[in-house]
Amino acid sequence: MTEKQSMHIDPYEKNWIRLSIGLLVVFALAVTIAGFAMGIQVPSPEARVDPRTVADEGPWAEPGLRELAPGKYEAYVLAQTWQFTPREMTIPAGSEVTFYITSKDVQHGFKLQNTNINVMVIPGQVSKLSVKIDEPGRYDYICTEFCGLGHAAMFGTLIVE
Ligand code: CUA
């Protein structure tokens, strides 16, 4: 057997190699488009906090909305069994809100209905995600991790007027 013959690749196998490389290109494009063109973010842990004291001092001692500039808000949300604080927030349509969410007890979830905000809320960790909402309406935020008896009643509302 010569060197040339040992390098021979079956045409059938060649097609599978082409298909595999093609899929990799498609995946890389999908991730790039989702991240840069569609603004889909990976919820990264923004900071570490001590869940035992996070509600005693700092921004989660008084959770809620802060207006940074016209149309630009940050929202500090505290999750605990079985409620979000605050339960209700109101922003004008067209505003951008950055959420900073943490839990003072067990693991919760935070999903803002009809937006792409959906994040795990882990005690000791701050989850940060931003959204711009143009359409007025009531946007409920609900807990998406089973956290005990009152889980189903754990929700709040973002009002966009
Ligand atoms: Cu909190 Cu389910």
Side-chain angles (χ1 to χ4, degrees):
M1 192 190 285
T2 67
E3 184 65 23
K4 204 166 164 60
Q5 276 170 328
S6 69
M7 289 299 291
H8 174 76
I9 301 172
D10 187 83
Y12 186 69
E13 194 178 353
K14 239 180 223 169
N15 284 339
W16 281 107
I17 292 173
R18 285 199 189 101
L19 182 71
S20 307
I21 292 171
L23 275 176
L24 284 177
V25 172
V26 169
F27 290 152
L29 273 175
V31 169
T32 308
I33 291 168
F36 293 99
M38 296 170 69
I40 292 175
Q41 313 150 62
V42 177
S44 55
E46 169 72 5
R48 305 269 171 204
V49 289
D50 186 340
R52 291 164 299 183
T53 57
V54 73
D56 301 335
E57 54 188 40
W60 289 276
E62 287 175 57
L65 272 179
R66 322 244 196 286
E67 187 172 7
L68 302 176
K72 214 166 162 56
Y73 294 84
E74 52 185 22
Y76 286 86
V77 178
L78 184 69
Q80 67 190 95
T81 49
W82 291 286
Q83 66 176 54
F84 290 110
T85 314
R87 284 175 184 274
E88 198 177 283
M89 294 181 271
T90 303
I91 56 165
S95 299
E96 188 191 323
V97 190
T98 302
F99 293 94
Y100 296 87
I101 316 158
T102 193
S103 166
K104 61 177 275 189
D105 43 44
V106 298
Q107 181 173 321
H108 298 279
F110 183 91
K111 176 171 166 48
L112 186 60
Q113 304 281 57
N114 302 321
T115 70
N116 71 355
I117 297 281
N118 188 359
V119 68
M120 267 201 261
V121 183
I122 297 164
Q125 184 172 301
V126 178
S127 301
K128 177 189 175 189
L129 274 178
S130 296
V131 68
K132 184 171 181 290
I133 305 179
D134 294 320
E135 192 72 26
R138 291 175 66 88
Y139 295 75
D140 288 332
Y141 40 94
I142 59 173
C143 181
T144 50
E145 298 279 336
F146 182 71
C147 55
L149 270 183
H151 162 71
M154 186 168 169
F155 68 96
T157 307
L158 177 69
I159 298 165
V160 180
E161 11 172 80

